[in-house]
Amino acid sequence: MKDILTAPFMVEMIRTTTNMYDHGWDERNGGNVSLMLDEAQVAEYLDIKDVLRTIPTGFIAPELEGKYFLVTGTGKYFKNIQYAPDVNLGIVRLVDKGEQAELLWGYADGGKFTSEFPAHMMSHVARLKVNTENRVVMHCHPANLLAMTYVHTLDEKEFTRTLWQMCTECIVVFPDGVNVLPWMLCGTNEIGEATAEKMRTARLVVWSQHGIYGAGKDLDETFGLIETAEKGAEIYMKIAHLPLVNTITDEQMHQLEKRFDVKAREGYLS
Ligand code: 13P
Ligand code: ZN
């Protein structure tokens, strides 16, 4: 059996969460990441019959029966993941229609997966229906996106259009736009269900006055998605109080659609 700490998915998870911390997106225990793994991938490093503990999830997700996830632990600091991955991360397999998670590795201090596990798992279900290649759900607290939810309308079309107008690349990276939830109590099945519903039409979901969720096919792509939205929000927070002299017009957005072969969300451009 190979050493799990050398597994490419583990190395990538450690690098990505460290990078998220370095970007200031994950203060204290803020943020959480889940990466779906193939059974064959896991079996190279772990005896998949050796279940350390079974942890109830508190929700039902039959679509995820038998699926494996590498997930950050609740209350754990991203800052520390690189130094103690086996304490701050865990690998679980969902069973009993998703009602139970079998721990195969990690959470070595007796811990468990993130309190946002419902939002992660329900979002995986929603995104897999849109794109079978989806593997990652990522949540964090980037300052400018968060700040924007205090001063900008939460109307999804307006929020998306503002971000698209802030940097030329935004519409290319997230042509499906950004969906927005009002403030809701975090760590609940309700916010999980609401997030998953929003994930049906976009890979980015803002949690007002809290943070953002992103989904994608790998850790790099999902990080880049949030990074780009956060850059747009940063420009917005730099200029929102100044007179606007120039912008990216809808006509220019249409040129970007053509050049980069992307289709902006229906009805969002004139
Ligand atoms: P966890 O420590 O449970 O992952 O929670 C962090 C967080 O960002 C809650 O939204
Ligand atoms: Zn959070």
Side-chain angles (χ1 to χ4, degrees), residues 26-27 29-32 115-116 139-141 186 207 210-213:
D26 298 280
E27 75 291 342
N29 65 309
N32 19 80
S115 60
E116 305 296 1
H139 166 61
C140 55
H141 306 160
C186 55
W207 280 10
H210 183 137
I212 191 159
Y213 268 76

Side-chain angles (χ1 to χ4, degrees), residues 74-102:
T74 184
K76 301 302 187 210
Y77 297 18
F78 276 24
K79 161 172 94 63
N80 297 335
I81 292 177
Q82 61 179 319
Y83 305 113
D86 64 330
V87 172
N88 296 292
L89 302 172
I91 293 178
V92 294
R93 174 175 54 214
L94 290 188
V95 294
D96 291 348
K97 299 196 171 78
E99 283 191 88
Q100 308 284 340
E102 294 179 328

